Amino acid sequence: MTALVVREDLSRRTELSKSQLVGAELCQTKSWLEIHDRRPFPVIEKVIFGSAIDAGTEQIVYAAARGQDAGSKPMQAALEVAARDGMDLPWDEVSAALAGFVTDVLPKFDWTDAVVQPTVRAEIAGLGPCSGHPDIILVDGTVLDVKATARPKEAFGIELGFYTVLTEASGLVVPRVGYLAWVRLKKPYWQIAVMDTTDELRRYAMARALAFARARDLDAHVNEGESAPVNYTLTGGPKGGGLC
């Protein structure tokens, strides 16, 4: 059977990415270790659940972009993710989330010719080579990211800001960005958090990205040729104590 969930191997990626920037926002020390001593991705329920929802909604949007019904493929994709990572999931909730995406999210957008999981690459002054994989780009350039989260999301931030800067550097105007978030409260629901892109969002994203890029480049300079690199530039701790 042909796999439904296909992802690029990012373990050896050298371009600046959204994941690096988000990681540095959460914990600079962890982001430094990611550069010098990358560890396996944690196989925990909330991470695999999010990947399953991401894979299932990808099938829904892929079909909607072609005027089709996804049929059983969304659940097949979610099952494929769980099997790949050896994780059993709350399948009633997975099913409810995928069904809710069809009823509560699909009617809110024009999905015609939308693309899912595109690879976006660009050279950005001050940042160097950059790459990213937004979950969805609509035909008008709107960038959407699918999340499973414990609390509602805000669209303004480094993640969607970087996607805006990156996508526009590749030549496509981005009028809006947003999250399609399955919020896992006692009564879970789909949150649609979309904002018009603004110069403030672009400036914020560039400022944060430049700060990380400078620290990364200085680290590469001071540790060049060292067998045991030392962290001089990304020394901040976790954003919250629960991250350790």
Side-chain angles (χ1 to χ4, degrees):
M1 180 182 295
T2 302
L4 292 175
V5 184
V6 179
R7 296 288 185 265
E8 181 181 344
D9 180 8
L10 303 178
S11 62
R12 299 183 182 277
R13 177 169 57 178
T14 58
E15 303 107 322
L16 180 64
S17 70
K18 175 268 296 183
S19 298
Q20 289 176 311
L21 298 176
V22 171
E25 292 275 298
L26 293 174
C27 180
Q28 291 184 9
T29 300
K30 183 178 184 298
S31 71
W32 184 85
L33 290 170
E34 284 289 302
I35 296 171
H36 293 279
D37 187 20
R38 183 185 292 272
R39 302 298 176 86
F41 202 67
V43 181
I44 56 177
E45 193 273 350
K46 67 178 182 180
V47 172
I48 308 310
F49 181 90
S51 295
I53 297 302
D54 187 67
T57 55
E58 177 185 348
Q59 295 300 318
I60 294 170
V61 173
Y62 181 87
R66 291 154 179 78
Q68 301 171 358
D69 184 286
S72 63
K73 286 184 177 180
M75 185 57 77
Q76 290 175 25
L79 288 164
E80 192 175 299
V81 167
R84 178 195 67 194
D85 294 316
M87 175 72 68
D88 192 25
L89 294 175
W91 294 109
D92 286 348
E93 185 183 359
V94 173
S95 178
L98 296 179
F101 191 91
V102 173
T103 57
D104 301 337
V105 179
L106 277 191
K108 304 296 185 181
F109 299 91
D110 179 3
W111 302 100
T112 306
D113 295 329
V115 293
V116 293
Q117 289 293 323
T119 298
V120 183
R121 287 189 167 91
E123 183 92 17
I124 301 176
L127 304 182
C130 301
S131 70
H133 298 80
D135 287 330
I136 303 162
I137 301 182
L138 301 181
V139 72
D140 70 350
T142 296
V143 173
L144 300 172
D145 221 40
V146 177
K147 298 291 184 186
T149 178
R151 59 184 61 87
K153 301 283 290 181
E154 291 185 9
F156 189 98
I158 185 62
E159 185 170 37
L160 295 179
F162 179 72
Y163 278 154
T164 298
V165 171
L166 173 64
T167 304
E168 292 190 333
S170 75
L172 182 66
V173 175
V174 178
R176 299 183 301 163
V177 290
Y179 290 115
L180 309 177
W182 177 251
V183 185
R184 302 183 75 184
L185 298 177
K186 186 175 181 180
K187 292 184 177 180
Y189 66 96
W190 278 104
Q191 176 202 18
I192 299 174
V194 176
M195 64 172 284
D196 293 337
T197 52
T198 62
D199 288 340
E200 181 185 5
L201 176 65
R202 296 178 180 91
R203 283 194 297 267
Y204 174 82
M206 277 299 299
R208 303 302 299 177
L210 283 167
F212 176 82
R214 289 165 183 155
R216 173 204 62 188
D217 294 345
L218 180 57
D219 173 75
H221 174 72
V222 299
N223 283 306
E224 185 177 6
E226 296 291 336
S227 59
V230 177
N231 184 5
Y232 297 104
T233 63
L234 290 161
T235 56
K239 188 175 182 179
L243 295 174
C244 285

